[in-house]
Amino acid sequence: MNWQRWLMIAPALLFFLVFALVPMLVAVYYSGLQWNGISAPTWVGLFNWRHAFANGEAVHAIWLTVELMVLCWIIQTPLSLLLGVFLAGKQKHRAIFGVFYFVPLLFSAVAIGVTWSYLLNPNFGLIDALLKAAHIGSGNQNWIGNPSIALLVVSLIIGWQFIPFHTLLYQSGAKQIPDSLYEAAKIDGASPLNSFFSITLPQLKYTIITSSVLILTGSLTYFDLIYVLTGGGPGNATQVLAMDMYKEAFVNQNIGVGSVLAVVLAVSGVVLSILTLRFTGFSRMESQLEGM
Amino acid sequence: MIPMLANEPALQVVKRTRRQVPTWYNVLFTLLGVLWLIISFYPVLYMLMTSLRSQNGYLVGIPWLPPLHPTFGNYATVIQAGFAHYFLNSVIVSVTSVVLIVGCSVLSAYVIVRTKNKVVRFIFNLFLVGLALPIQAAIIPIYIIITKMGLYDTLIGMILPSVAFGLPLTLLILVNFVRDIPSELYESMGLDGASDFQVMRSLVLPLAMPALISVSIYDFVQAWNNFLFPLVLTQSDSSRVMPMAIVSFQGQYTMNVPVTMAAVMLSALPLILAYIFGRRYLLGGLLAGFGK
């Protein structure tokens, strides 16, 4: 390899090593320190690890993250699939629907979080006003201040944010299914429900895998929205891993424990990716696509 | 491919009847479509309507209807509060990040595709590992590194890690794209004797233009909406970017929802304009190769 090519690959490599890969490894080292980020750090070995797991904090955060993952998948996958297939239809009004469906994609997680915190406000929020006008419930429901439903509400809002994206994925997948398959099935006397299960679903297999992988790995990193909406609360009802890590490191200035959680996060990300690669044949799919 | 297609007349009959009689599943589908239209678009409409309300109008008006006396006063308030400055900061951070990410990636993608050796293969695999690592997992060491470099609370301090974490996906997409350029093209253009930079300029860049546009859009949206880096790496007014500005507006005008909604609308302005004038490009960019 000549010097020109080294020169071409060097900038990317440098950026990636210094600001992504090395920090990831440094986090492992930090997890063994007792440090507030300012004074001199002390090496304490596995103390932070034992501390984080013994008091149940890390376990709680991991458990919440898993719950969030499952909730997000259940909320987003069936709806996005149906909506994507719906939009892939050739009827004109569906195209117009599509224009509106994708609008939430234009807003940041912060913008969405702030808006929904107003929509759900128990005193002057729109949802409360609508429910009152329809005489449903007792009014002044504190949606995100109630620990038993806060995580569900957060997952629903995450769904509102991300369903448009996954709908887009499914739409583009469903559009690629050849019409001839449906026509043939119809002539064979298949009902629409039959062709949905015997043609649409199997043909969307790889889209389902891609979308699910993105939802699952994405749920590890939902931070912005939770920060804005609940800040991890009420109590620690929505304190998922990323949120817990942020609070430990940057609020409590406990770099060591924060790093423990960061490492757990990184390992979960890698393990999740490897598992999905193994069990879904995702890598085979990629090599198939390369030939297209 | 499918023998039944020979049965053309029967096919047309089937099509005609489908158009005339709306079947139960079509009705059900359309109903679901309308319901989702309301759920997904109404909150956006609420943002817009509320941003045009006066503070008085917000408290006394009917929250789900458009304001009786729309006003742009909230937008004026937001702009007077320094929003133009934050907007400019966001533009600088996003545009610089995109240029660096896409520039570094396309150079590396070329090298990775055109060089067959173990070192380059290893480097590519390193970047692929980067795909699985969440930003949150590296944020603590990044904070320390940026502070030690004296870049805390600067725009550059946000740009550097954004580039590092934007690289893996962009690189992967561009590698797949550059790989699809047939090797005969390199030969037939008589570029065998040409330097890599010349091949890059006269062959790869022009051919990869659609992919470059699409990843640039994707990276821009990511950088524009990024919240964690500014949250952890900046603090002062002078380096505030859009998502942070929304949060600070929310804190400053707790009860003044219309002003915050005006800030939310302005923060999404570039994407709203892109959606109006180039919906196809924007949506294609957001899919970033996942919909392939």
Side-chain angles (χ1 to χ4, degrees):
Chain A
M1 195 159 108
N2 60 34
W3 62 271
Q4 272 190 348
R5 291 196 175 172
W6 282 115
L7 209 63
M8 288 164 88
I9 206 170
L13 193 60
L14 201 67
F15 269 115
F16 183 67
L17 286 181
V18 176
F19 295 105
L21 208 61
V22 169
M24 210 65 78
L25 300 174
V26 170
V28 179
Y29 166 67
Y30 281 177
S31 74
L33 297 180
Q34 180 112 55
W35 192 26
N36 62 7
I38 303 154
S39 60
T42 3
W43 178 256
V44 291
L46 289 176
F47 175 82
N48 293 322
W49 287 85
R50 278 198 294 269
H51 175 77
F53 281 91
N55 73 6
E57 182 190 322
V59 179
H60 175 76
I62 293 170
W63 179 236
L64 277 184
T65 309
V66 173
E67 259 184 84
L68 186 74
M69 241 177 226
V70 174
L71 279 173
C72 283
W73 193 88
I74 292 173
I75 292 167
Q76 293 177 32
T77 302
L79 252 175
S80 308
L81 203 162
L82 281 179
L83 290 167
V85 172
F86 174 70
L87 287 186
K90 295 194 172 45
Q91 293 87 332
K92 259 224 173 86
H93 68 270
R94 296 192 179 179
I96 298 166
F97 278 33
V99 173
F100 293 97
Y101 285 177
F102 298 132
V103 170
L105 290 173
L106 308 177
F107 294 88
S108 63
V110 171
I112 290 170
V114 168
T115 304
W116 277 97
S117 71
Y118 288 135
L119 286 169
L120 294 172
N121 186 291
N123 300 312
F124 55 79
L126 177 74
I127 305 292
D128 196 60
L130 284 175
L131 290 179
K132 264 184 202 155
H135 299 288
I136 298 172
S138 51
N140 297 40
Q141 168 72 42
N142 196 350
W143 299 101
I144 47 181
N146 179 345
S148 53
I149 55 169
L151 193 71
L152 178 65
V153 174
V154 166
S155 323
L156 287 170
I157 297 170
I158 291 174
W160 186 84
Q161 183 189 1
F162 284 99
I163 285 171
F165 173 78
H166 295 281
T167 303
L168 195 58
L169 269 181
Y170 282 113
Q171 181 196 21
S172 102
K175 270 190 176 161
Q176 287 166 23
I177 304 176
D179 280 342
S180 51
L181 288 183
Y182 290 108
E183 281 153 9
K186 201 153 208 174
I187 292 164
D188 280 351
S191 75
L193 216 57
N194 279 341
S195 26
F196 178 79
F197 284 107
S198 57
I199 298 173
T200 314
L201 272 189
Q203 288 281 322
L204 284 177
K205 187 178 151 208
Y206 293 128
T207 313
I208 295 172
I209 294 171
T210 310
S211 161
S212 302
V213 170
L214 289 173
I215 292 175
L216 295 180
T217 51
S219 355
L220 278 180
T221 59
Y222 292 149
F223 169 81
D224 310 5
L225 199 109
I226 296 177
Y227 178 91
V228 173
L229 261 179
T230 66
N236 58 4
T238 56
Q239 193 133 306
V240 292
L241 264 176
M243 192 69 219
D244 201 17
M245 180 278 302
Y246 172 81
K247 274 194 173 169
E248 281 293 355
F250 298 104
V251 180
N252 304 342
Q253 295 194 304
N254 195 339
I255 301 276
V257 175
S259 298
V260 167
L261 298 163
V263 172
V264 173
L265 205 55
V267 171
S268 321
V270 174
V271 169
L272 206 60
S273 306
I274 292 172
L275 284 183
T276 43
L277 286 182
R278 274 281 151 75
F279 288 112
T280 58
F282 196 66
S283 50
R284 248 177 297 135
M285 173 194 107
E286 271 190 323
S287 50
Q288 260 183 5
L289 280 176
E290 269 162 26
M292 279 169 76
Chain B
M1 218 169 80
I2 288 139
M4 265 156 270
L5 277 185
N7 209 345
E8 279 282 338
L11 201 76
Q12 276 166 8
V13 172
V14 171
K15 268 190 174 167
R16 211 174 297 137
T17 47
R18 190 173 64 182
R19 227 166 263 160
Q20 277 166 358
V21 193
T23 45
W24 65 267
Y25 62 89
N26 262 331
V27 173
L28 194 75
F29 238 30
T30 307
L31 276 180
L32 174 81
V34 172
L35 188 67
W36 184 253
L37 184 72
I38 297 168
I39 295 173
S40 70
F41 190 66
Y42 194 75
V44 178
L45 209 59
Y46 169 88
M47 292 181 199
L48 180 65
M49 292 187 317
T50 310
S51 74
L52 297 172
R53 253 179 239 280
S54 64
Q55 168 69 354
N56 272 343
Y58 178 73
L59 292 173
V60 299
I62 302 168
W64 56 85
L65 293 180
L68 281 176
H69 309 287
T71 164
F72 281 100
N74 302 310
Y75 287 90
T77 308
V78 166
I79 288 165
Q80 276 160 14
F83 217 75
H85 175 68
Y86 310 143
F87 196 91
L88 189 67
N89 279 347
S90 269
V91 170
I92 293 171
V93 169
S94 309
V95 171
T96 316
S97 303
V98 170
V99 170
L100 286 172
I101 294 170
V102 177
C104 292
S105 296
V106 75
L107 290 173
S108 304
Y110 172 81
V111 175
I112 286 165
V113 173
R114 296 279 288 165
T115 315
K116 303 269 174 272
N117 77 34
K118 274 185 183 156
V119 184
V120 171
R121 185 74 214 168
F122 175 75
I123 293 174
F124 185 46
N125 284 336
L126 271 188
F127 279 109
L128 291 183
V129 172
L131 283 175
L133 296 174
I135 294 182
Q136 283 86 346
I139 189 66
I140 301 170
I142 288 175
Y143 164 76
I144 306 281
I145 292 169
I146 292 290
T147 310
K148 287 217 169 118
M149 290 172 85
L151 294 174
Y152 179 74
D153 204 19
T154 63
L155 298 186
I156 303 172
M158 278 181 277
I159 293 170
L160 296 176
S162 305
V163 173
F165 278 91
L167 282 170
L169 185 62
T170 309
L171 184 65
L172 178 65
I173 293 168
L174 291 181
V175 162
N176 282 336
F177 200 89
V178 175
R179 197 177 273 157
D180 288 345
I181 300 176
S183 57
E184 299 86 55
L185 263 184
Y186 293 97
E187 290 147 24
S188 71
M189 284 187 78
L191 287 166
D192 266 349
S195 76
D196 284 319
F197 287 119
Q198 283 166 326
V199 177
M200 210 51 227
R201 220 188 48 196
S202 54
L203 181 70
V204 177
L205 284 185
L207 282 177
M209 209 32 98
L212 290 178
I213 292 173
S214 146
V215 289
S216 299
I217 293 171
Y218 180 83
D219 289 325
F220 179 86
V221 176
Q222 298 301 314
W224 185 264
N225 289 338
N226 188 305
F227 178 63
L228 187 69
F229 288 142
L231 176 72
V232 172
L233 302 174
T234 67
Q235 117 195 94
S236 76
D237 191 61
S238 65
S239 56
R240 187 170 293 161
V241 290
M242 205 55 64
M244 291 306 289
I246 297 176
V247 172
S248 83
F249 269 106
Q250 190 197 18
Q252 206 177 329
Y253 298 90
T254 325
M255 296 307 287
N256 198 336
V257 183
V259 166
T260 312
M261 285 299 114
V264 163
M265 289 304 292
L266 281 180
S267 78
L269 194 63
L271 300 193
I272 293 173
L273 291 178
Y275 194 68
I276 293 171
F277 295 110
R279 194 160 56 87
R280 207 172 274 272
Y281 285 98
L282 182 64
L283 292 182
L286 287 172
L287 269 183
F290 291 121
K292 205 176 154 189

